[in-house]
């Protein structure tokens, strides 16, 4: 008896001693991170001699990665990096383990996805700490890594379901108005606004920051919009693609969105639900609640289980009936998940599902290729194509085409034949879609730099005539300016091979430094870099420096001409074959700098603020 008690006491003392020496926190909560999709803290081990942080390297499967600098900061103390290991997994099985060094480039490898970093020990009694690092030139921070087990407390009021007043979704009609939303971020982080985004009229969105955590989004438009507040017009720093906040915006309706950033990052670590991360308000807060907490409505990859495959003998009617039944079951599953939805919310969910059904049914060829793969779908779709019909037995039951609810969604003008085939070739919805289709045709012609006749604009719906005329006038001025600038800025391609092209152009400017910017009209970072360079170009206007812009045939020629008109410098557009011959292009934007003697002095791939500083220093050195 005594021996058993003594053994148990010794075991308890050993356990307590081990616990005193080491503490493990799995999936720690943290406030915010600028290490978007690079490093995620998965575990923290605390010992007397070290702080060991286990990271998941999320972008290992997308490309190479490295960590240039790393340290921890706790209560004002800086804790230095000591050592590291890179782990290669196959599921839960460890395949390999290798030493890690700061600055070492790690190749792309979907399995080499864990990094264990050892730092100096945290101060006694520490409750949280920050990770401060660099990846290349970019600073990366993960703030507020918590050493307690629970997530951060919510900064938002408790969730309350919307009150059901029994009212249906009200009809929406086409009419000019202003879509707007006010977004606030709580608990750290900032919102980035991009003022160069354009509406279909070529007018900028208006984005105003009252402070670092509040933004007001406004845009003139005629129908609802669906911006994603992370990537398309807005970026929430510390919030990545898995935590986007898609919103429905409707002219002259109000919407507010409050985001709890610590809850967002806790959700990334599976310690919070989507509903814990935000609160919506305003006149259309309720329908946005439906979208925010059912984001599988937004993305095709969530629908692949819902979309049926086809067989070689199956008729189109049989396949489309199964598609309808599957989406009805999908809708019921979402309703079962949210029994507290109001009538408006249930109707919004219903018409969203119906819109998905109609889109996938009408574009069944692409739908099945995305579902089954192009080769397999093509081999089995023959009977569907033979029996295809736009006539739909479920059309009469669809709420989306009743009571003006169609325009809660983007206007599918390509669905006009679908409406006609189902007896809806007249009425307000049909006439609105026809008017939008004609307007879109005119917009395409103007975007292709065609100046329209007044009679073409007068044939448009009265609602569109004024903005169309304004846009047409701006195109007329643009075309005139392009014609004037073309002789000065658009250079003929030299008759040399691609491997000699850049040196040949540099040699045409003896005694001057030449800065090359290899870019494309569709490349966002390229255009950010071009805009960021403009103040420096003005500063160096009278210096011996020439700016040369080089693109290829992936930049549509009309779009290239429009953008060239706004970018001072010499512009070359070369064939894809010549472009492929240019050595060592690994991405764009790609920069080269030649000194006054025609020697390449500097090169860089990619753009950020640190690169801009480096460009300025290198140019100043080259022109001395």
């Amino acid at each position: 008896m005594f021996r058993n008690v003594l053994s148990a006491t010794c075991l308890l003392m050993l356990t307590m001693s081990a616990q005193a020496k080491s503490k493990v926190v799995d999936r720690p909560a943290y406030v915010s991170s600028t290490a978007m999709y690079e490093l995620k803290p998965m575990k923290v081990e605390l010992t007397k001699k070290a702080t060991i942080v286990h990271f998941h390297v999320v972008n290992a499967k997308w490309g190479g990665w490295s960590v240039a600098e790393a340290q921890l900061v706790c209560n004002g103390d800086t804790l230095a990096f000591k050592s590291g290991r890179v782990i290669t997994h196959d599921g839960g099985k460890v395949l390999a383990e290798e030493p890690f060094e700061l600055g070492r480039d790690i190749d792309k490898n979907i399995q080499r996805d864990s990094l264990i970093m050892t730092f100096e020990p945290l101060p006694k009694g520490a409750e949280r700490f920050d990770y401060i690092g660099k990846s290349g030139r970019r600073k990366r921070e993960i703030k507020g890594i918590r050493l307690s087990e629970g997530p951060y407390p919510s900064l938002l009021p408790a969730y309350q379901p919307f009150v059901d007043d029994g009212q249906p979704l009200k009809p929406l009609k086409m009419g000019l108005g202003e879509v707007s939303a006010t977004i606030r971020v709580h608990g750290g982080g900032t919102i980035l606004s991009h003022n160069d985004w354009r509406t279909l009229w070529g007018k900028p969105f208006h984005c105003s920051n009252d402070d670092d955590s509040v933004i007001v989004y406004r845009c003139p438009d005629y129908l609802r919009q669906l911006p994603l507040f992370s990537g398309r017009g807005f970026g929430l720093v510390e919030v990545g693609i898995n935590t986007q906040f898609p919103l429905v915006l409707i002219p002259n309706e109000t919407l507010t969105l409050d985001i709890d950033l610590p809850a967002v990052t806790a959700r990334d670590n599976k310690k919070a639900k989507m509903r814990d991360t935000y609160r919506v308000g305003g006149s259309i807060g309720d329908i946005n609640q439906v979208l925010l907490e059912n984001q599988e409505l937004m993305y095709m990859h969530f629908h692949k289980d819902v979309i049926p495959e086809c067989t070689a003998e199956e008729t189109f009617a049989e396949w489309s009936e199964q598609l309808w039944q599957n989406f009805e079951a999908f809708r019921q599953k979402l309703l079962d998940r949210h029994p507290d939805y109001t009538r408006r919310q249930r109707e919004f969910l219903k018409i969203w599902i119906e819109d998905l059904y109609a889109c996938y049914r009408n574009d069944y060829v692409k739908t099945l290729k995305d579902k089954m793969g192009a080769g397999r779908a093509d081999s089995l779709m023959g009977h569907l194509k033979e029996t295809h019909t736009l006539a739909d037995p479920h059309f009469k039951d669809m709420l989306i085409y009743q009571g003006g609810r169609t325009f809660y969604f983007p206007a599918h003008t390509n669905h006009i034949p679908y409406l006609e085939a189902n007896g809806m070739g007249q009425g307000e919805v049909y006439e609105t879609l026809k008017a939008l289709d004609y307007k879109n045709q005119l917009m395409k012609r103007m975007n292709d730099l065609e100046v329209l006749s007044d009679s073409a604009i007068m044939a448009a719906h009265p609602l569109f005539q004024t903005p169309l005329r304004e846009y047409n006038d701006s195109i007329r001025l643009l075309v005139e300016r392009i014609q004037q600038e073309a002789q000065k800025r658009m250079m003929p391609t030299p008759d040399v091979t691609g491997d000699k092209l850049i040196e040949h152009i540099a040699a045409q400017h003896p005694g001057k430094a030449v800065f090359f910017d290899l870019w494309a009209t569709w490349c966002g970072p390229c255009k950010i870099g071009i805009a960021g360079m403009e103040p420096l170009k003005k500063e160096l206007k009278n210096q011996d420096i020439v700016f040369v812009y080089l693109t290829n045939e992936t930049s549509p020629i009309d779009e290239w001409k429009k953008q060239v008109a706004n970018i001072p410098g010499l512009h070359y557009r070369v064939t894809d074959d010549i472009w492929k011959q240019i050595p060592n292009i690994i991405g764009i934007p790609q920069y080269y700098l030649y000194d006054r003697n025609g020697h390449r002095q500097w090169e860089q791939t990619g753009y950020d603020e640190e690169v801009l500083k480096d460009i300025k220093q290198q140019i100043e050195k080259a022109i001395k």
Side-chain angles (χ1 to χ4, degrees):
M1 174 77 176
F2 175 74
R3 182 178 297 172
N4 291 340
V5 171
L6 181 61
S7 298
T9 303
C10 291
L11 180 61
L12 178 62
M13 291 177 67
L14 286 170
T15 303
M16 291 176 65
S17 175
Q19 289 176 342
K21 292 180 180 178
S22 177
K23 178 180 179 179
V24 176
V25 181
D26 282 315
R27 290 185 174 270
Y30 52 96
V31 176
S32 60
S33 169
T34 56
M36 277 195 203
Y37 285 78
E38 294 190 358
L39 298 179
K40 260 188 186 177
M42 304 301 289
K43 182 165 69 173
V44 178
E45 296 180 71
L46 304 177
T47 71
K48 286 185 177 181
K49 295 183 177 181
T51 305
I52 305 167
V53 186
H54 297 242
F55 293 102
H56 175 50
V57 186
V58 184
N59 66 347
K61 60 185 176 183
W62 295 328
W65 56 277
S66 66
V67 177
E69 299 176 16
Q71 61 187 24
L72 304 183
V73 175
C74 181
N75 301 331
D77 294 334
T78 299
L79 312 177
F81 169 79
K82 296 172 67 176
S83 64
R85 292 171 287 155
V86 179
I87 311 295
T88 302
H89 290 104
D90 183 5
K93 183 181 178 182
V94 174
L95 299 181
E97 184 173 333
E98 57 191 299
F100 171 79
E101 297 177 2
L102 293 177
R104 174 191 167 198
D105 292 329
I106 308 294
D107 294 334
K108 171 185 175 181
N109 184 329
I110 193 170
Q111 294 178 323
R112 194 180 294 162
D113 60 356
S114 293
L115 172 61
I116 301 174
M117 302 179 76
T118 300
F119 300 86
E120 295 175 333
L122 290 174
K124 187 176 181 181
E127 296 180 352
R128 69 194 68 181
F129 63 91
D130 302 334
Y131 166 83
I132 311 294
K134 274 191 176 182
S135 175
R137 296 173 176 271
R138 299 176 186 274
K139 187 176 182 181
R140 302 302 192 201
E141 299 182 359
I142 305 174
K143 295 185 177 180
I145 301 173
R146 190 168 176 162
L147 298 175
S148 61
E149 293 297 330
Y152 279 86
S154 177
L155 299 169
L156 304 175
Y159 172 78
Q160 295 291 333
F162 286 87
V163 176
D164 192 350
D165 58 6
Q167 294 300 309
L169 281 176
K170 68 180 184 180
L172 289 183
K173 295 186 178 183
M174 184 169 63
L176 282 175
E178 183 177 75
V179 292
S180 66
T182 299
I183 302 100
R184 306 179 188 89
V185 175
H186 305 267
T190 58
I191 303 180
L192 303 179
S193 64
H194 304 285
N195 291 315
D196 61 341
W197 289 81
R198 302 282 164 174
T199 69
L200 73 168
W201 306 121
K203 296 181 180 179
F205 296 162
H206 174 64
C207 309
S208 63
N209 286 66
D210 297 331
D211 56 45
D212 281 344
S213 61
V214 181
I215 195 166
V216 179
Y217 167 91
R218 293 192 181 93
C219 172
D221 213 337
Y222 62 95
L223 287 172
R224 47 79 73 211
Q225 286 193 4
L226 199 143
L228 298 183
F229 288 86
S230 178
R232 226 186 275 176
F234 287 85
L236 287 170
V237 176
E238 292 86 349
V239 181
I241 15 182
N242 284 348
T243 46
Q244 283 183 341
F245 293 86
L247 300 175
V248 169
L249 302 183
I250 297 172
N252 304 317
E253 300 286 348
T254 60
L255 179 67
T256 62
L257 171 67
D258 286 79
I259 299 171
D260 181 347
L261 197 56
V264 169
T265 50
R267 177 175 173 265
D268 282 345
N269 283 344
K270 313 301 182 188
K271 291 190 175 183
K273 297 178 181 178
M274 184 62 187
R275 187 179 275 185
D276 298 328
T277 65
Y278 65 88
R279 294 291 176 265
V280 284
S283 62
I284 52 174
D286 55 348
I287 64 173
N288 278 283
Q289 177 77 28
V290 174
L291 180 54
L292 285 165
E293 64 186 1
N294 298 290
Q295 292 199 28
E296 55 262 67
L297 294 170
M298 283 287 299
Y299 307 110
M300 166 70 179
H301 62 271
F302 285 119
H303 309 149
K304 287 203 170 182
D305 291 339
V306 181
I307 296 167
E309 295 191 354
C310 68
T311 65
E313 300 79 23
E314 193 172 25
T315 66
F316 182 80
E318 291 169 335
W319 178 82
S320 60
E321 177 62 25
Q322 188 60 57
L323 180 71
W324 173 268
Q325 295 299 333
N326 288 2
F327 268 110
E328 281 293 284
F330 179 49
R331 178 172 69 93
Q332 190 58 52
K333 183 181 77 171
L334 298 182
L335 285 174
D336 292 343
R337 189 193 298 172
H338 305 292
D340 56 358
Y341 275 175
T342 66
R343 178 181 175 182
R344 271 173 52 90
Q345 289 176 311
R346 292 195 304 271
E347 288 188 356
F348 181 73
L349 177 61
K350 178 174 171 57
I351 64 174
W352 193 293
I353 296 290
E354 290 172 347
D355 185 71
L356 290 175
Y357 161 77
C359 288
Y360 286 132
R361 184 187 192 275
N362 290 333
D363 198 4
Y364 74 96
V365 173
K366 182 179 184 302
T367 296
L368 285 170
K369 286 184 177 181
D370 289 341
K371 167 74 176 185
M372 303 168 65
R376 185 161 167 257
D378 283 338
S379 68
L380 296 174
M381 270 195 299
H383 204 41
L384 264 65
K385 291 179 179 179
E386 291 174 4
T387 56
H388 175 258
T389 174
L390 288 173
D392 185 354
H394 295 292
F395 186 89
K396 62 182 184 301
D397 302 320
M398 294 169 68
L399 188 64
I400 191 171
Y401 297 117
Q402 301 173 21
R405 297 176 179 89
T406 308
F407 300 114
Y408 279 87
F409 298 91
H412 302 300
T413 55
N414 60 328
H415 288 188
I416 290 174
Y418 178 61
L419 270 63
E420 292 171 341
N422 288 281
M424 202 172 174
Q426 57 191 4
E428 185 175 6
V429 170
Y430 179 76
E431 296 302 328
T432 299
L433 289 177
K434 292 286 284 186
L436 288 168
D437 187 48
Y438 182 70
K439 181 271 302 176
N440 290 342
Q441 294 176 36
L442 296 186
M443 290 295 298
K444 183 180 185 306
R445 289 166 60 184
M446 288 189 288
N447 287 335
D448 290 337
L449 299 183
E450 178 186 347
V451 179
L452 302 180
S453 66
D454 193 59
S455 61
I457 294 175
M458 288 295 292
H461 189 285
L463 186 65
F464 299 137
Q465 289 179 15
T466 297
L468 282 172
R469 190 170 286 108
E470 290 176 356
Y471 192 52
N472 195 46
D473 289 342
S474 71
I475 293 297
R476 181 182 292 106
L477 294 174
L478 176 61
V479 169
E480 292 173 357
R481 186 172 60 165
I482 287 174
Q483 292 171 345
Q484 293 171 359
E485 293 289 343
Q487 297 301 317
K488 294 185 292 183
R489 294 187 182 173
M490 298 179 195
M491 301 288 107
T493 304
D495 187 17
V496 296
T497 56
D499 58 331
K500 299 177 181 177
L501 176 66
I502 292 177
E503 285 77 7
H504 179 86
I505 295 173
Q508 292 178 347
H509 305 280
K512 293 187 177 182
V514 184
F515 182 86
F516 288 88
D517 184 338
L518 280 64
W519 70 297
T521 57
W522 44 263
C523 170
C526 298
K527 292 190 281 187
I528 292 172
I530 288 170
M533 285 278 292
E534 285 308 309
L536 176 59
K537 287 164 65 178
K538 291 178 181 177
E539 182 181 330
L540 299 171
K541 187 175 181 180
N542 297 318
Q543 301 292 323
D544 288 331
I545 176 74
V546 177
F547 291 91
V548 175
Y549 295 87
L550 191 66
T551 190
N552 62 10
E553 292 173 318
T554 65
S555 296
I557 190 165
D558 290 335
E559 182 63 28
W560 177 65
K561 288 178 179 178
K562 284 192 289 184
Q563 294 191 28
V564 163
N566 296 309
I567 306 171
L570 303 180
H571 290 263
Y572 294 83
R573 182 174 179 271
V574 302
T575 65
D576 290 340
D577 288 339
I578 290 178
W579 181 274
K580 290 174 184 176
Q581 296 169 12
I582 300 174
N584 302 324
I585 299 181
I586 60 174
I588 54 174
Q590 175 72 38
Y591 304 112
Y592 300 114
L593 177 63
Y594 283 72
D595 63 20
R596 291 173 180 271
N597 299 315
H599 299 135
R600 184 178 295 185
Q601 172 181 303
W602 175 86
E603 63 183 81
Q604 164 70 29
T605 304
Y607 176 85
D608 59 26
E609 290 185 3
E610 292 299 319
V611 170
L612 180 59
K613 294 177 184 176
D614 202 1
I615 289 173
K616 182 177 181 180
Q617 293 172 358
Q618 294 293 340
I619 289 178
E620 288 174 347
K621 189 189 304 182
I623 61 179
K624 281 184 179 178

